[in-house]
Amino acid sequence: MAQGANSSQQATLKTQIPFWMRLKAWWEGYDLTVHQKKLVPFESGELDEDAPEPGSPEWMSKRLEVMQEIWGEGMSGPGDKNYILKLVKPFALDPKHTVIEVGAGLGGATRIIAEHFDIWMTGLEADREVADAGMELSTMAGLAKRAPIHYFDVDHYEFRESSIDCVFSKEALYLVEDKERLLAEIINMIKPRGQLLFTDYVLAENADTKAVGDWKKGEPVAPHPWTMKDYEAALTEARLDIRIKEDITEDVHKIITSAWAGFLNSIKGHTMDKSTADAVEQAVELWTRRTKAIDSGALRICRFHALKKDAEKMLSDW
């Protein structure tokens, strides 16, 4: 009876402790649900630094290896195949559509969408190392032509006018300082009656400035987040027809916590070389800060889906 009560108490404590605190504590070797009892996240030990990790290509850095271990093969952030397909469902894609993903990361979503809907899709990524690795993954998957991943200079890239049916972006726009210019380029690229669908990190209205500042300071690339109202105003000013505007923070938070719980459990008791341990520690620090900002209510995740009006309708609106 006492043992059952103790288990129930631990479960209650676990739900009360913010995920960011549990994540950081776990990595440092403490379980907050059992009164600071010392744990061992991984066994200390040194492996040959020159030897590639089992099953991982020699060209891929530890950062990218760890990224995939956390989120899944070819993935750069939260969300598996089912989640990606659910996100893009409003596109109603078929083989006639052409699609571009802005901020494709390692190209996992690009390849999932291209294969599932039998379409030609291009992923664009602003991190050159990630883009190169993503292109290699597409090549290895036999999708070098149907789902290529290319590096692009987000501040200067210009898109061909009315050339793409749909543009997709997943938590990437918050890193762009001149969002007005990029959005204008994206909208110009979309064909009349084409579609834009994106998710992004946004600031809550009247967000706590300290929580936001702490989050920004730890990001590897300086973020420039908008609010949902900022996005709504920009899309409305661009004369797009907004069909979906929603806060998906709760759903994404569940994906983050589940992925990290699985990853940390998988490495418990395993030996790591120093470079892998360093990469994991950096990832822990990054996602500790992000989830802390989310738990504080200052950082949210939004989803927008908008249609571009056809030329005749736009002229008639004047």
Side-chain angles (χ1 to χ4, degrees), residues 74-224:
M75 303 304 291
S76 313
D80 59 10
K81 178 178 180 179
N82 290 337
Y83 176 73
I84 297 300
L85 295 178
K86 180 181 177 182
L87 277 184
V88 300
K89 187 175 180 180
F91 278 156
L93 294 172
D94 63 48
K96 295 193 297 289
H97 286 101
T98 53
V99 185
I100 276 184
E101 180 179 5
V102 175
L106 289 169
T110 301
R111 289 184 290 275
I112 286 170
I113 296 167
E115 284 196 291
H116 185 82
F117 295 102
D118 191 24
I119 63 174
W120 294 76
M121 182 170 176
T122 300
L124 301 177
E125 171 54 43
D127 184 317
R128 190 180 293 276
E129 181 190 23
V130 174
D132 289 347
M135 186 65 219
E136 184 67 19
L137 288 171
S138 286
T139 301
M140 291 168 63
L143 295 169
K145 293 184 177 180
R146 283 183 52 206
I149 309 300
H150 299 307
Y151 166 77
F152 82 122
D153 184 342
V154 68
D155 295 319
H156 301 98
Y157 200 89
E158 295 183 359
F159 299 101
R160 189 157 59 89
E161 183 177 359
S162 299
S163 59
I164 297 294
D165 295 300
C166 303
V167 174
F168 172 61
S169 180
K170 181 177 174 293
E171 291 104 62
L173 300 179
Y174 76 102
L175 296 173
V176 179
E177 184 171 7
D178 191 354
K179 268 184 275 293
E180 291 92 344
R181 191 202 74 83
L182 180 61
L183 282 172
E185 283 290 330
I186 289 173
I187 293 167
N188 182 60
M189 169 176 57
I190 298 172
K191 297 176 182 178
R193 300 185 182 181
Q195 305 172 70
L196 169 63
L197 191 155
F198 65 89
T199 63
D200 203 22
Y201 292 109
V202 292
L203 297 181
E205 298 296 327
N206 303 313
D208 179 84
T209 54
K210 184 181 185 307
V212 173
D214 290 344
W215 163 63
K216 285 185 175 182
K217 283 188 296 186
E219 287 291 305
V221 178
H224 304 278

